[in-house]
């Protein structure tokens, strides 16, 4: 093989290997980013469930207090 052919083969081989390495690391970083998004979504759903549970508990307590306590407005302003 001529020297030019050897350099061309070496250059294209190096370029192909570089592209493969780049694509591999790019896919790994995308996979990590997607997994982080899933974890963030799960955390948001957990917080939403906690807030809903707190809201439901407060509503239940309000209903119980309304049954026990009487509140009257005798027409006087604040």
């Amino acid at each position: 093989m001529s020297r030019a052919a050897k350099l061309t083969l070496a250059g294209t081989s190096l370029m192909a290997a570089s592209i493969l390495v780049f694509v591999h690391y790019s896919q790994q970083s995308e996979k990590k980013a997607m997994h982080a998004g899933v974890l963030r979504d799960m955390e948001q759903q957990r917080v939403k469930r906690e807030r809903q549970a707190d809201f439901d508990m407060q509503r239940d307590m309000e209903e119980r207090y309304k049954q026990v306590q009487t509140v009257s407005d005798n027409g006087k302003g604040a």
Side-chain angles (χ1 to χ4, degrees):
M1 280 189 356
S2 68
R3 183 172 186 206
K6 289 180 185 178
L7 287 175
T8 303
L9 178 62
T12 55
S13 298
L14 181 63
M15 183 63 99
S18 299
I19 289 171
L20 287 174
V21 169
F22 172 76
V23 168
H24 173 72
Y25 285 114
S26 176
Q27 286 177 342
Q28 291 296 324
S29 66
E30 286 177 4
K31 183 178 178 181
K32 287 179 183 178
M34 288 172 55
H35 184 66
V38 169
L39 294 178
R40 185 177 57 245
D41 289 347
M42 289 172 59
E43 177 65 17
Q44 288 175 348
Q45 289 174 358
R46 183 190 64 78
V47 168
K48 184 177 179 181
R49 283 191 304 269
E50 286 179 1
R51 288 180 179 162
Q52 185 63 43
D54 288 343
F55 176 75
D56 292 340
M57 183 180 65
Q58 289 292 326
R59 187 175 46 204
D60 291 342
M61 285 193 321
E62 180 183 7
E63 290 299 321
R64 281 187 270 142
Y65 289 146
K66 283 182 180 179
Q67 290 173 356
V68 174
Q69 298 176 353
T70 58
V71 177
S72 63
D73 184 15
N74 52 3
K76 294 181 181 177

